[in-house]
């Protein structure tokens, strides 16, 4: 599609076609389309190697995870250890120091590991800054994720629990100490915890996409006197996500926890959950700063989405999506697959009805599913010839949509990977069949059609996840995209 010389590549491919023709006079002359595709195949194999007969070209995972490859069962694993802050023994004597009670918590400077994460927590959830929570459900993404307790800011004791779907709640750790503010590695008080070192463990979770997840603290005790005293008060209801006593807090994208033995993807998302342990009006009424328990939710790459509960209902939007990257054969040999980049999305709204018992979800029932129209979003057009793009039963033409045929869009310089060049509804798209094709207006008015490739043939269309960015102009896709171990 680019205006540059492709004579050498064409000659290589065309010579093989001519040689074939000279040996067989019974076959008709090849069409312009045949010659283009033969030349493309020769050039592709010269760059990437011989194509295996079994090689397929759908590399997407997101829609397949939602359909067949996702987690079919719930799995939870409490880890032996949590976030490591290194040797923090030097701060054990200042656990109740006044520095920890300021409106901006002063984290001691000698924390060896994950100090950046700790600093980000202080900025996101400063002491005594009132925040407001709303009842919400977290819903599982299409990948596994971690929840790591990061910080305890209150002097109460409790159990941190995670409930996934209809499974029994899992206790991640028990806080049996009353130090006012603690991180892993600090010494527990001896009055209640009988000594020892703080180790707030983490948990790894896998669940089918959209599975509801509840995070809360339970068995909460407020200690107003010596251990075992009858003056110690128990709070009847838990505090967590589904009763509005927890909030989701974003942190800077460049802040990632250092986790021993866990390799995170480059695009891993990390968020905080801040929990307020005591509600307003209770004994030792809470301050609503939501830093009494702080959790780092670590996606690999995605974290659970927060769905607000309104009138005991919440909606979950599921998306089956693919990104198609297309070479239009206007120029053979660059293999940047950005001549057309289009996302196709099938969205479904699933409505849940919930009931509570003592502040914890009792039931969670799907009451309706509503399919939204299938949508196509054109993200980039790196070509300089006109084309008709067909997805399912719907066609879209570059020139008729008001675009200059000879202009490249969103493939040069600083690319906007969220760019919406065009958006339109689609009918008849089959995500498994990849019924996507392009009719190209080639040289001298010649027209040919590109379809999604069969196994073992040179691809002019590939399917990937929508999170996969396309290449800049004239930058070929690396072979690792095609031939993965």
């Amino acid at each position: 599609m680019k205006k540059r010389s492709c004579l050498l590549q064409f000659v290589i491919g065309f010579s093989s076609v001519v040689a074939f023709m000279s040996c067989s006079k019974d076959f008709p002359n090849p069409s312009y389309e045949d010659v283009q595709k033969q030349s493309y195949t020769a050039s592709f194999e010269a760059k990437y190697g011989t194509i295996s007969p079994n090689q397929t070209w759908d590399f997407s995972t997101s829609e397949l995870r939602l359909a067949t490859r996702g987690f079919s069962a719930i799995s939870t694993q409490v880890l032996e250890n949590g976030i490591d802050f290194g040797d923090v023994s030097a701060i054990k004597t200042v656990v109740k120091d006044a520095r920890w009670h300021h409106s901006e918590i002063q984290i001691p400077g000698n924390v060896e590991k994950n100090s950046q994460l700790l600093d980000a927590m202080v900025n996101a959830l400063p002491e005594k800054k009132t925040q407001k929570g709303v009842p919400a459900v977290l819903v599982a993404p299409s990948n596994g994720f971690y929840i790591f307790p990061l910080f305890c800011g209150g002097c109460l004791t409790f159990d941190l629990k995670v409930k996934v779907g209809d499974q029994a709640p899992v206790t991640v750790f028990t806080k049996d100490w009353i130090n006012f503010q603690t991180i892993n590695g600090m010494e527990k008080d001896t009055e209640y915890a009988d000594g020892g070192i703080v180790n707030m463990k983490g948990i790894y979770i896998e669940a089918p996409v959209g599975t509801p997840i509840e995070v809360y603290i339970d068995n909460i005790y407020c200690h107003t006197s010596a251990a075992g005293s009858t003056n110690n008060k128990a709070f009847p209801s838990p505090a967590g996500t589904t009763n509005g006593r927890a909030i989701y807090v974003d942190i800077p994208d460049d802040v990632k926890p250092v986790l021993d033995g866990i390799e995170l993807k480059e695009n891993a998302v990390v968020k905080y959950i801040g929990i307020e342990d005591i509600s307003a009006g209770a004994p030792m009424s809470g301050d609503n700063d939501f830093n009494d328990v702080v959790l780092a939710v670590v996606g690999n790459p995605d974290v659970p989405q927060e769905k607000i509960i309104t009138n005991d209902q919440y909606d979950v939007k599921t998306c089956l999506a693919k990104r198609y990257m297309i070479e239009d054969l206007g120029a053979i040999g660059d293999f940047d697959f950005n001549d057309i980049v289009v996302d196709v999305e099938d969205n479904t709204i699933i409505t849940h009805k919930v009931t509570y018992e003592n502040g914890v979800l009792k039931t969670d029932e799907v009451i309706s599913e509503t399919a939204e129209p299938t949508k196509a979003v054109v993200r980039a057009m790196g070509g300089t010839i006109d084309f008709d793009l067909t997805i399912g039963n719907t066609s879209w033409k570059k020139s008729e949509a008001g675009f200059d045929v000879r202009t490249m869009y969103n493939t040069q310089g600083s690319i906007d990977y969220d760019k919406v060049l065009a958006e339109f509804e689609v009918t008849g798209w089959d995500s498994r069949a990849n019924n996507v094709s392009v009719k190209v207006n080639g040289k001298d008015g010649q027209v040919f059609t590109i379809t999604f490739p069969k196994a073992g043939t040179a691809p002019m269309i590939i399917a990937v996840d929508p999170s996969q960015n396309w290449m800049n102009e004239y930058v070929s896709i690396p072979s690792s995209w095609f031939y993965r171990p």
Side-chain angles (χ1 to χ4, degrees):
M1 208 179 218
K2 288 77 179 177
K3 293 181 67 178
R4 67 186 183 91
S5 174
C6 57
L7 180 61
L8 179 60
Q9 292 93 337
F10 182 81
V11 168
I12 293 172
F14 187 71
S15 62
S16 63
V17 176
V18 172
F20 172 77
M21 291 169 56
S22 66
C23 297
S24 179
K25 298 181 180 179
D26 295 329
F27 288 93
N29 291 333
S31 67
Y32 172 77
E33 179 174 331
D34 291 336
V35 173
Q36 285 287 92
K37 292 181 178 179
Q38 288 278 357
S39 179
Y40 181 88
T41 297
S43 185
F44 186 91
E45 290 195 325
K47 183 173 183 62
Y48 295 107
T50 302
I51 301 170
S52 166
N54 299 321
Q55 177 66 46
T56 58
W57 307 104
D58 187 341
F59 306 107
S60 64
T61 57
S62 56
E63 76 88 15
L64 290 175
R65 284 177 180 170
L66 286 169
T68 60
R69 290 187 183 175
F71 303 120
S72 59
I74 294 170
S75 173
T76 57
Q77 178 187 359
V78 177
L79 309 177
E80 286 298 317
N81 298 294
I83 293 180
D84 183 11
F85 293 98
D87 182 6
V88 297
S89 59
I91 64 173
K92 66 181 180 180
T93 58
V94 296
V95 170
K96 298 181 181 179
D97 188 273
R99 291 186 301 169
W100 292 84
H101 295 261
H102 290 169
S103 58
E104 294 184 0
I105 303 172
Q106 302 297 309
I107 299 299
N110 57 354
V111 173
E112 289 186 332
K113 298 180 181 179
N114 283 302
S115 59
Q116 187 183 26
L117 189 66
L118 208 55
D119 290 340
M121 182 277 296
V122 172
N123 293 327
L125 294 167
E127 185 76 2
K128 303 299 182 183
K129 179 182 177 181
T130 300
Q131 309 215 42
K132 183 176 178 56
V134 294
V137 167
L138 306 182
V139 296
S142 58
N143 52 255
F145 62 96
Y146 300 86
I147 297 177
F148 286 102
L150 169 65
F151 176 81
C152 278
C155 57
L156 284 69
T157 60
F158 55 77
D159 297 321
L160 175 70
K161 296 184 177 182
V162 174
K163 187 176 189 303
V164 183
D166 58 1
Q167 302 292 299
V170 175
T171 298
V172 181
F173 80 93
T174 295
K175 184 176 181 290
D176 59 351
W177 65 92
I178 62 166
N179 309 55
F180 181 61
Q181 293 175 324
T182 47
I183 58 177
N184 279 345
M186 296 174 71
E187 289 188 359
K188 301 177 183 179
D189 67 273
T190 56
E191 184 177 6
Y192 291 91
D194 195 24
I197 301 299
V198 173
N199 180 24
M200 296 180 284
K201 299 179 179 181
I203 184 171
Y204 176 69
I205 299 171
E206 294 177 352
V209 174
T211 300
I213 298 161
E214 185 178 4
V215 182
Y216 61 97
I217 58 174
D218 200 4
N219 301 321
I220 306 169
Y221 277 84
C222 172
H223 300 276
T224 59
S225 60
S229 169
T230 56
N231 291 327
N232 295 336
K233 299 183 182 299
F235 294 89
S237 64
T241 50
T242 56
N243 59 11
R245 285 163 63 188
I247 58 175
Y248 230 166
V249 183
D250 291 323
I251 64 172
D253 291 339
D254 60 347
V255 177
K256 296 287 192 297
V258 178
L259 304 171
D260 295 337
I262 297 175
E263 183 176 350
L264 297 180
K265 296 181 180 179
E266 185 178 347
N267 59 339
V269 176
V270 183
K271 288 188 175 183
Y272 289 132
I273 292 178
I275 298 177
E276 181 64 28
D277 55 9
I278 306 175
S279 60
M284 293 181 62
S285 181
D287 52 14
N288 288 324
D289 56 15
F290 286 85
N291 66 16
D292 298 317
V293 186
V294 183
L295 314 173
V297 185
V298 182
N300 211 11
D302 296 321
V303 296
Q305 297 180 34
E306 182 185 39
K307 302 299 179 183
I308 305 301
I309 299 173
T310 304
N311 297 324
D312 294 336
Q313 293 186 12
Y314 68 95
D315 292 334
V316 177
K317 186 175 184 177
T318 61
C319 179
L320 283 73
K322 288 188 182 183
R323 170 167 290 171
Y324 293 100
M325 297 182 178
I326 301 170
E327 281 284 286
D328 66 3
L329 305 188
I332 297 172
D334 60 3
F335 303 115
D336 51 24
F337 281 83
N338 67 14
D339 294 340
I340 309 167
V341 179
V342 59
D343 294 347
V344 187
E345 302 175 356
D346 259 342
N347 294 299
T348 302
I349 304 296
I350 303 173
T351 300
H352 293 244
K353 179 77 173 178
V354 300
T355 62
Y356 295 91
E357 184 175 293
N358 295 326
V360 178
L361 281 184
K362 181 66 175 178
T363 63
D364 187 317
E365 178 187 4
V366 174
I367 59 175
S368 67
E369 295 188 21
T370 305
E372 294 187 336
T374 303
K375 179 177 67 174
V377 180
V378 180
R379 302 288 186 186
M381 293 182 287
T384 58
I385 55 180
D386 205 6
F387 63 82
D388 287 276
L389 170 66
T390 299
I391 303 171
N393 303 322
T394 305
S395 294
W396 184 89
K397 190 168 186 176
K398 181 178 181 181
S399 59
E400 292 180 356
F403 292 93
D404 178 33
V405 169
R406 304 189 67 80
T407 297
M408 299 178 184
Y409 294 90
N410 205 27
T411 61
Q412 303 176 86
S414 181
I415 294 175
D416 179 0
Y417 295 106
D418 296 318
K419 184 76 171 178
V420 178
L421 294 173
E423 184 175 312
F424 53 95
E425 289 187 9
V426 170
T427 62
W429 176 56
D430 187 336
S431 63
R432 296 179 183 277
N434 290 311
N435 52 341
V436 174
S437 63
V438 180
K439 183 181 293 184
V440 179
N441 297 326
K443 186 178 179 181
D444 299 327
Q446 300 279 359
V447 178
F448 57 90
T449 299
I450 299 168
T451 58
F452 196 85
K454 296 179 180 179
T457 63
M460 293 160 232
I461 305 175
I462 61 173
V464 295
D465 289 334
S467 59
Q468 176 64 66
N469 294 336
W470 56 93
M471 311 303 290
N472 279 62
E473 203 63 52
Y474 305 130
V475 179
S476 296
I477 284 176
S479 59
S480 59
W481 280 31
F482 297 136
Y483 307 125
R484 298 175 179 176

